[in-house]
Amino acid sequence: MRRGSAAPLRWLLLAAISACATGGSNDPGDQRAAIERVLDVQAAAWNRGDLDAFMDGYWRSPDLIFTSGGAVQRGWQTTLDRYRASYGTSPETMGRLTFSGLEVHPLGPGAAWALGRWGLEHADGSTMGGVVSLVF
């Protein structure tokens, strides 16, 4: 939702992220480092207003699942379209994205579940944030 929206953005994201994000490792340290790299690249892309690069971190599949505000959306393209409609495509409308408090829980070889917090800060000082849950 845009900064001017009446309802604050609250979302829980459950998405299968690039299968190669964990590099096939079952080592928790390797998985954490790989997941942090994906989130760092995504935050940098978001902060420069590059939604296409931001979406490179997501599983490019019609089977991707995105949940937000009690709604379930399916598909990579649907998710990209939602971001564009909600945030625009410039740093001015998108704000500055950060991730924090990352927990990584291995699920098996090459798979992990990550939990953390996201935050957006806009040029006018307004902020929003919430919880993010990702399956890598």
Side-chain angles (χ1 to χ4, degrees), residues 98-122:
T98 58
F99 293 104
S100 63
L102 184 66
E103 298 176 21
V104 175
H105 304 274
L107 297 174
W113 171 68
L115 177 67
R117 300 202 60 80
W118 63 271
L120 276 180
E121 183 176 342
H122 294 281

Side-chain angles (χ1 to χ4, degrees), residues 17-25 34-35 37-38 56 59 110 136:
I17 306 295
S18 297
C20 62
T22 61
S25 174
I35 290 167
R37 278 191 302 275
V38 170
D56 284 344
W59 183 33
F136 286 81

Side-chain angles (χ1 to χ4, degrees), residues 13 29 31 49 57 74 95 107:
L13 174 65
Q31 289 181 333
R74 297 180 188 276
L107 297 174

Side-chain angles (χ1 to χ4, degrees), residues 53-100:
F54 173 80
M55 289 297 294
D56 284 344
Y58 285 93
W59 183 33
R60 192 178 288 250
S61 169
D63 295 327
L64 177 109
I65 298 170
F66 182 94
T67 62
S68 175
V72 176
Q73 295 178 314
R74 297 180 188 276
W76 184 92
Q77 186 63 53
T78 302
T79 301
L80 174 59
D81 294 345
R82 178 196 176 280
Y83 277 125
R84 280 189 180 138
S86 298
Y87 295 99
T89 57
S90 73
E92 295 77 25
T93 61
M94 293 170 63
R96 179 165 177 72
L97 175 66
T98 58
F99 293 104
S100 63

